[in-house]
Amino acid sequence: MKIVRYSIGRKTAYGILKDNRIERIAGTPYRGIKGTKEYRKLSEVKLLAPCLPSKVIAIGLNYYKHAQEVKQEVPKEPLTFFKPSTSVIGPEEKIIRPKGCEQLDYEAELGVVIGKTATRVSKADAMQYVLGYTCFNDVTARDWQRIDKQWTRAKGSDTFSPIGPWIETDLDPANVTVEAYLNGKRVQQGNTSDLVFDVPALISFITNSITLLPGDVIATGTPAGIAPMQTGDVIEIKCSGIGTLKNTVA
């Protein structure tokens, strides 16, 4: 099932996408999904970020090959950091390079969308709290990351969390190919089988100290191949079984 969030005119709604047609659902998808038999063609609407997270919790150095690429040791526990809700944008929206940023990098990732409030969840129960999965771009001002030594500005600036194009509920997160295409050329490829900490482990670790709310997103880390984007570039994040998230740098 593909869950979308969309606008038409001044109205915003959630819906279920099937065969290029969207059925609006009543309310949000977090308290059960109830169709309304109100349909729109996909071409008639604007897709928005498929969820409105109160926070994004992202994971650093969570692919073995990426850790090798940046010449750092694999963490013994998940390396977590926050990206604020104000950094979130949807498909086809512009990634804005902030004034003073000299190196703006893409990072293709699988995003996990939380479906219900999760506190102190065990690994065995973790998947019960997942609504579905989406494509995520952990946009990073790499020069700021080096200068600041901590990642708030480098990772959390406005437009630095593209999410979309929808939430896929039927997916095995242990075997997802994650790719980035820059101006049509594949520049990054990995598979979640290479994750240091898998999705259940991440949910359990995070909720041991931080409560996750419905709509919150875990960005599970990026595979090897990170590199800069330039103004005017088109960056596409592709996750097998989900789709393609496309944005332009401005």
Side-chain angles (χ1 to χ4, degrees), residues 1 11 15 20 39-41 60 92 104 106 108 113 120-121 128 135 146 158 179-180 208 220-221 242:
M1 180 190 299
K11 294 182 179 180
N20 291 317
Y39 297 92
R40 293 283 185 179
K41 293 179 181 179
E92 303 291 345
L104 190 67
Y106 57 80
V113 182
R120 292 184 291 278
V121 175
Q128 299 176 26
C135 303
R146 288 190 291 264
D158 292 351
E179 300 174 303
N208 182 61
T220 55
I242 301 176

Side-chain angles (χ1 to χ4, degrees), residues 196-232:
V196 179
F197 303 101
D198 63 13
V199 171
L202 293 175
I203 293 172
S204 181
F205 178 83
I206 292 166
T207 61
N208 182 61
S209 56
I210 300 169
T211 295
L212 294 174
L213 302 177
D216 282 353
V217 174
I218 301 172
T220 55
T222 194
I226 58 173
M229 303 177 289
Q230 306 301 325
T231 300

Side-chain angles (χ1 to χ4, degrees), residues 16 45 102:
I16 303 301
V45 308
E102 296 183 358

Side-chain angles (χ1 to χ4, degrees), residues 5 46-50 89-94 162-166 244-247:
R5 181 172 159 267
K46 177 183 177 181
L47 289 182
L48 306 173
I89 59 173
E92 303 291 345
E93 292 190 67
K94 292 181 179 179
I163 304 176
W166 40 67
T244 301
L245 168 65
K246 182 179 178 180
N247 300 92

Side-chain angles (χ1 to χ4, degrees), residues 11-191:
K11 294 182 179 180
T12 300
Y14 289 89
I16 303 301
L17 174 64
K18 186 176 181 180
D19 298 329
N20 291 317
R21 193 169 73 152
I22 297 170
E23 181 182 9
R24 184 177 67 84
I25 64 173
T28 73
Y30 306 114
R31 295 187 176 182
I33 295 174
K34 183 179 180 181
T36 62
K37 298 189 183 301
E38 178 184 315
Y39 297 92
R40 293 283 185 179
K41 293 179 181 179
L42 180 59
S43 59
E44 294 177 332
V45 308
K46 177 183 177 181
L47 289 182
L48 306 173
C51 55
L52 293 172
S54 71
K55 56 190 171 292
V56 174
I57 297 187
I59 312 298
L61 299 175
N62 200 31
Y63 280 78
Y64 287 101
K65 291 179 181 178
H66 175 53
Q68 294 171 4
E69 172 186 43
V70 296
K71 297 180 174 58
Q72 295 194 37
E73 293 184 3
V74 172
K76 294 181 179 179
E77 292 185 323
L79 176 61
T80 60
F81 58 94
F82 282 109
K83 292 172 76 84
S85 60
T86 48
S87 67
V88 172
I89 59 173
E92 303 291 345
E93 292 190 67
K94 292 181 179 179
I95 299 167
I96 305 299
R97 177 194 293 271
K99 184 178 180 180
C101 170
E102 296 183 358
Q103 182 178 341
L104 190 67
D105 286 7
Y106 57 80
E107 293 190 12
E109 308 199 7
L110 173 69
V112 181
V113 182
I114 299 299
K116 57 184 179 179
T117 301
T119 303
R120 292 184 291 278
V121 175
S122 69
K123 285 195 287 186
D125 294 335
M127 302 308 287
Q128 299 176 26
Y129 292 83
V130 175
L131 175 65
Y133 306 89
T134 192
C135 303
F136 189 90
N137 189 352
D138 179 19
V139 177
T140 303
R142 195 68 66 195
D143 52 322
W144 290 357
Q145 188 180 26
R146 288 190 291 264
I147 293 167
D148 294 351
K149 307 302 181 185
Q150 54 80 36
W151 300 353
T152 302
R153 180 173 68 140
K155 297 278 195 176
S157 294
D158 292 351
T159 75
F160 277 21
S161 296
I163 304 176
W166 40 67
I167 300 166
E168 176 58 65
T169 61
D170 301 318
L171 189 76
D172 176 10
N175 183 24
V176 178
T177 299
V178 178
E179 300 174 303
Y181 287 76
L182 189 64
N183 300 322
K185 178 182 178 181
R186 189 174 69 191
V187 289
Q188 194 174 20
Q189 183 181 40
N191 189 282

